[in-house]
């Protein structure tokens, strides 16, 4: 083996970088091994056509923890996010449109075009959502109580449950609704306009291979609203330089603290000796010793492909096989010679700087999922378009633009034994056709494109099943049960093995929370950090 490290992290995605920073800052000798030739995991920026650059997979900012931003001093190194002037823009099938965001009064005025009642109840809905979102913000940087640790489990559970106990009965009912109900059932209880319900319901299917009618989908909606940008809760924005700029800065900060980052170093196997993780073996044959191994890859990739079954407890191995992964996501970037001209609002404006949602109703979203289950993908898929070049002219040549197309629902595995390699182009054409219906001339304006099917996302980023969340965000795979009950506190089932990726609490998105929390657990186990109750 090569020289030993205090900590060896598999994967230089943003959570791995965050974890490495905190460990190195505490004095540990840290090395990261990354399979690709660039840091960042799914948060990277690449040139995909001459002069055109864009975020490759993750594509927008909100959930990155303010504490992580402050602790790593990202702003001092060039981190900058430009807020969207409005949150979302939804063209409607009747030729109209709905804008969401830009302040309560503006949104209420938009809602009145569809329902005076919906505009009236909007403040109450925002209050209910914010109360529960604040609960999630409080839990995001806390280590979940790990079942099976006796008194520590009880004390951690009691401490984290205090916030819930302080909520009023009405607020506790809102929590129950958002954690258990389908997005449609929850939204039906608040609103009557189908356009309004679609504006909120879209968040319930982002990275979620499910219908808005699926029980628990309301939680996925909530997961996407507990972030903030530049101190504004619930806001979303564009990272200047693309998402890769964030991870480039993180990598620099890590190196400044002595972290070694090895690129093009894919891991073949986690080495276990005497029931303890002792290092890794790279695909090239090099073995690296470490006192602890920290996985920033998804649970399916780690436990099913990087470890021998004999090194895992039998029950844990069985449960990981049942861990659900596959977000139904298809990701495209397109280089454009001009801005899209939407039939309902053709002139350039603030809607081009927002999230453009092509999914006008919850019924549309439900059909997309049912079609994907039956046929592999919907002929009318759910598409969110962002055009970051409208606020960041470094991404495209003058007068041109780049657009991110985030698309749902596309089966992680195609029915009938079909292969995504054979059907990726047809699916991409279907996505472009969907945009073309709302913005005639869009196809003719495309001068370059990239496409990543679920299989492509797995091949490029190691996201098993193309799952951008590292595993479904369903109730049985959240908090203390993410990824498996009894191993929900960032510790693996093998001594010396830890997890710091989105397959742990609080889940997917560019948050930095799993990396932050895992580092606290590792430092606690090493005796460098003690919780207050001790």
């Amino acid at each position: 083996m090569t020289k030993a490290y205090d900590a060896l992290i598999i994967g230089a995605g943003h959570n791995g970088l965050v974890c490495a920073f905190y460990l190195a800052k505490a004095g540990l000798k840290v090395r990261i091994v990354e399979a690709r030739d660039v840091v960042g995991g799914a948060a990277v920026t690449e040139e995909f056509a001459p002069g055109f650059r864009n975020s490759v997979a993750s594509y927008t900012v909100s959930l990155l923890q303010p504490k992580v931003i402050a602790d790593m001093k990202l702003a001092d190194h060039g981190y900058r996010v430009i807020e969207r002037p409005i949150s979302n823009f939804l063209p409607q099938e009747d030729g109209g449109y709905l804008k969401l965001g830009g302040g309560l009064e503006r949104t209420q005025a938009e809602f009145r075009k569809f329902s005076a009642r919906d505009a009236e109840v909007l403040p109450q809905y925002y209050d209910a959502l914010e109360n529960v979102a604040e609960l999630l913000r409080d839990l995001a940087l806390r280590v979940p109580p790990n079942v099976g640790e006796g008194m520590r489990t009880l004390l951690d559970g009691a401490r984290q449950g205090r916030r819930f106990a302080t909520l009023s009965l009405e607020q506790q009912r809102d929590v129950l609704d958002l954690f258990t109900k389908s997005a449609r059932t929850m939204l039906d209880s608040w609103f009557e306009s189908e356009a309004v319900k679609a504006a909120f319901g879209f968040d319930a299917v982002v990275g979620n291979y499910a219908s808005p009618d699926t029980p628990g989908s309301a939680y996925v909606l909530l997961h996407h609203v507990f972030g903030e940008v530049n101190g504004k809760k619930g806001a979303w924005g564009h990272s200047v330089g693309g998402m890769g700029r964030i991870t480039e800065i993180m990598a620099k900060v890590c190196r400044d603290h002595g972290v070694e980052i090895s690129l093009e170093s894919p891991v073949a196997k986690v080495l276990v000796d005497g029931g303890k993780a002792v290092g890794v073996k790279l695909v090239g044959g090099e073995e690296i010793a470490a006192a602890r191994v920290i996985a920033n890859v998804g649970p399916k990739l780690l436990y099913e492909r990087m470890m021998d079954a004999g090194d895992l407890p039998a029950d844990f191995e069985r449960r990981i096989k049942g861990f659900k992964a596959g977000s139904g996501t298809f990701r495209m970037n397109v280089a454009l010679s001009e801005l899209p001209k939407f039939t309902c609002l053709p002139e350039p404006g603030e809607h081009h700087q927002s999230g453009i949602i092509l999914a006008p109703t919850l019924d549309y979203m439900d059909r997309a999922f049912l079609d994907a289950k039956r046929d592999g993908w919907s002929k009318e898929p759910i598409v969110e378009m962002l055009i970051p070049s409208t606020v960041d002219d470094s991404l495209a040549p003058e007068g041109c633009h780049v657009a991110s197309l985030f698309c749902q629902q596309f089966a992680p595995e195609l029915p009938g034994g079909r292969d995504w390699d054979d059907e990726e182009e047809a699916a991409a054409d279907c996505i472009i056709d969907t945009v073309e219906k709302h913005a005639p001339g869009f196809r003719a304006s495309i001068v370059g494109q990239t496409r990543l099917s679920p299989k492509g996302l797995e091949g490029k980023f190691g996201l098993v099943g193309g799952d951008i969340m590292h595993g479904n965000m369903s109730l049985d795979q959240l908090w203390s049960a993410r990824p498996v009950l009894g191993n929900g506190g960032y510790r693996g089932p093998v001594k010396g093995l830890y997890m710091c990726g989105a397959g742990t609490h609080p889940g997917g998105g560019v948050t930095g929370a799993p990396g932050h929390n895992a580092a606290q657990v590792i430092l606690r186990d090493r005796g460098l950090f003690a919780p207050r109750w001790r």
Side-chain angles (χ1 to χ4, degrees):
M1 285 190 176
T2 59
K3 60 182 180 180
Y5 293 84
D6 294 319
L8 189 139
I9 298 175
I10 305 172
H14 80 282
N15 276 310
L17 295 168
V18 170
C19 185
F21 162 76
Y22 284 107
L23 297 181
K25 187 178 180 183
L28 274 65
K29 184 179 180 181
V30 183
R31 180 174 174 181
I32 303 175
V33 288
E34 165 60 42
R36 300 189 67 219
D37 61 355
V38 62
V39 299
V44 291
T45 303
E46 294 179 1
E47 183 174 70
F48 65 98
F52 293 87
R53 301 165 57 248
N54 201 15
S55 306
V56 180
S58 61
Y59 60 101
T60 188
V61 184
S62 176
L63 304 179
L64 187 58
Q65 288 291 317
K67 184 178 187 299
V68 170
I69 296 171
D71 288 350
M72 297 187 77
K73 296 181 171 59
L74 300 184
D76 293 349
H77 296 275
Y79 171 79
R80 182 179 171 219
V81 177
I82 298 176
E83 299 162 42
R84 301 181 192 175
I86 58 173
S87 302
N88 292 326
F89 164 66
L90 288 85
Q92 294 296 300
E93 293 174 326
D94 62 1
Y97 62 86
L98 184 151
K99 292 181 180 180
L100 181 68
L104 174 62
E105 293 182 359
R106 280 198 62 186
T107 303
Q108 285 181 297
E110 283 287 309
F111 280 17
R112 288 190 188 98
K113 298 190 303 187
F114 299 89
S115 165
R117 177 185 173 277
D118 289 356
E120 183 180 348
V121 302
L122 181 62
Q124 290 77 35
Y125 174 78
Y126 277 162
D127 286 345
L129 210 62
E130 178 56 27
N131 284 329
V132 186
E134 193 61 34
L135 182 68
L136 287 188
R137 292 187 191 105
D138 183 61
L139 292 176
L141 292 182
R142 295 178 182 268
V143 178
N146 200 40
V147 174
E149 294 185 355
M151 184 59 69
R152 177 185 289 181
T153 300
L154 294 175
L155 290 172
D156 284 350
R159 186 172 66 250
Q160 294 188 32
R162 280 186 307 188
R163 180 62 182 269
F164 179 79
T166 63
L167 299 178
S168 68
L169 177 59
E170 182 180 356
Q171 290 170 337
Q172 291 183 27
R173 287 169 175 164
D174 290 335
V175 172
L176 184 64
D177 285 351
L178 283 160
F179 273 75
T180 61
K181 289 184 176 181
S182 72
R184 187 192 297 269
T185 300
M186 192 273 292
L187 291 168
D188 279 347
S189 71
W190 283 96
F191 304 111
E192 59 186 14
S193 164
E194 293 304 315
V196 168
K197 286 184 278 191
F200 292 120
F202 167 73
D203 282 335
V205 298
V206 172
N208 187 21
Y209 188 50
S211 163
D213 294 329
T214 302
S217 56
Y219 171 77
V220 183
L221 179 159
L222 178 65
H223 181 79
H224 286 93
V225 301
F226 77 84
E228 61 181 81
V229 168
N230 301 332
K232 295 184 180 179
K233 293 179 179 179
W236 289 82
H238 303 281
S239 170
V240 175
M243 298 299 287
R245 181 62 181 146
I246 299 174
T247 49
E248 287 172 5
I249 293 171
M250 287 181 170
K252 180 185 184 305
V253 172
C254 284
R255 290 188 175 107
D256 288 347
H257 282 77
V259 176
E260 296 180 37
I261 302 176
S262 302
L263 303 178
E264 298 181 282
S265 302
V267 170
K269 180 182 178 181
V270 174
L271 300 174
V272 177
D273 184 22
K276 182 182 186 302
V278 296
V280 301
K281 182 177 182 178
L282 302 183
V283 171
E286 179 187 0
E287 294 185 354
I288 306 170
R292 50 197 60 77
V293 176
I294 306 148
N296 186 36
V297 297
K300 299 290 277 188
L301 182 58
L302 171 64
Y303 295 115
E304 293 187 351
R305 303 184 190 179
M306 292 183 175
M307 298 192 71
D308 290 338
D311 289 331
L312 299 171
D315 180 67
F316 182 89
E317 182 191 7
R318 179 178 66 83
R319 293 185 184 278
I320 281 295
K321 286 181 179 177
F323 183 80
K324 302 186 296 294
S327 61
T329 301
F330 195 110
R331 181 71 172 82
M332 294 185 68
N333 277 329
V334 290
L336 303 174
S337 61
E338 62 181 4
L339 280 175
K341 295 181 175 64
F342 293 94
T343 303
C344 60
L345 200 58
E347 296 303 316
E350 62 183 5
H351 58 296
H352 285 108
Q353 299 175 17
S354 73
I356 301 163
I357 311 299
L358 306 182
T361 65
L362 296 180
D363 284 343
Y364 180 105
M365 300 179 202
D366 179 51
R367 285 195 304 272
F369 173 64
L370 295 177
D371 288 352
K373 286 188 67 177
R374 183 186 64 243
D375 302 325
W377 73 81
S378 172
K379 297 303 182 284
E380 292 186 311
I382 301 164
V383 179
E384 180 182 24
M385 177 192 297
L386 262 71
I387 312 174
S389 52
T390 55
V391 296
D392 182 0
D393 60 11
S394 71
L395 300 176
E398 185 176 356
C400 298
H401 290 278
V402 293
S404 304
L405 301 179
F406 176 87
C407 315
Q408 298 273 140
Q409 304 282 359
F410 295 79
E413 293 186 7
L414 290 170
R418 292 145 55 205
D419 193 300
W420 271 115
D421 288 342
D422 301 324
E423 308 208 23
E424 188 178 71
E425 183 176 356
D429 285 341
C430 178
I431 291 166
I432 293 170
D433 287 342
T434 301
V435 181
E436 182 80 14
K437 291 176 185 177
H438 296 276
F442 178 76
R443 178 182 290 278
S445 72
I446 296 175
V447 296
Q449 65 173 267
T450 60
R451 49 183 183 256
L452 288 169
S453 68
K455 182 179 179 180
L457 287 166
E458 178 170 340
K460 190 176 183 73
F461 300 112
L463 301 172
V464 175
D467 197 321
I468 62 172
M469 306 287 192
H470 284 195
N472 292 11
M473 300 285 289
S474 52
L475 289 178
D476 60 322
Q477 296 185 178
L478 292 177
W479 200 41
S480 291
R482 190 168 184 87
V484 172
L485 195 67
N487 293 100
Y490 308 97
R491 299 180 185 89
V494 175
K495 187 177 180 181
L497 179 64
Y498 297 84
M499 299 166 283
C500 72
T504 60
H505 171 77
V510 179
T511 72
H516 168 281
N517 297 353
Q520 307 314 304
V521 170
I522 293 163
L523 295 176
R524 177 189 301 175
D525 289 351
R526 198 169 185 264
L528 298 179
F529 170 79
R532 290 180 183 176
W533 61 263
R534 281 186 173 178

